[in-house]
Amino acid sequence: MEQEKRVLIRKQFEISSNKDKKNVILYLLDMGYDNKDLTEILGVNAKKIYNIKRQQLISCLYKCFQDNITICGEDAGLHLLVSFHFDLPITLNLMEYGIAAEFARNYSLSSTSYNNHLIIGFAGLRLQEIETGINQLYLALKPYIQNRT
């Protein structure tokens, strides 16, 4: 990245209010800057960036799935564990929908535990990718929501 551009962004960031700083971070994330760039340019720690991404993920999940989910351990780190209030078929392949989420049952010692839970990572995603991914997830799971008992 050009040095002049970094200096310009840094100056804008330093004169902004806290609310504006968050908007600058959101804007830069949407523009494709990664966590390393933001840390270098703005002096923002990665924790703040991941928190923004986590909030975006949670917001998108509730917007799409509403009361059909429970988020477990939302402050756990770079992944969320999402419990769905409807049955997810064992044969469901999310990669067919372009979704890289993991079934929690793959990591469970019990064969029946966590059948309706997904582990969703977000650290390497841009905000728009988070929104697009959750919309894709919703489309993939929509038939099972409608069959909810």
Side-chain angles (χ1 to χ4, degrees), residues 17-73:
S17 67
N18 280 338
K19 185 176 180 182
D20 289 340
K21 286 180 183 182
K22 182 177 179 183
N23 290 334
V24 170
I25 293 169
L26 291 172
Y27 173 75
L28 293 174
L29 285 170
D30 281 342
M31 295 300 294
Y33 291 96
D34 64 15
N35 300 346
K36 184 180 175 189
D37 290 333
L38 292 178
T39 300
E40 186 178 312
I41 296 168
L42 305 176
V44 175
N45 67 20
K47 200 173 190 178
K48 184 169 188 152
I49 297 165
Y50 292 136
N51 187 42
I52 291 169
K53 290 180 179 185
R54 182 181 58 79
Q55 289 172 348
Q56 172 80 351
L57 177 58
I58 292 169
S59 172
C60 290
L61 281 165
Y62 280 123
K63 180 179 170 189
C64 287
F65 293 100
Q66 299 169 2
D67 65 344
N68 290 301
I69 61 167
T70 300
I71 296 175
C72 311

Side-chain angles (χ1 to χ4, degrees), residues 74-87:
E74 64 186 63
D75 292 332
L78 305 178
H79 295 80
L80 289 181
L81 180 64
V82 181
S83 173
F84 293 88
H85 302 172
F86 50 90
D87 292 331

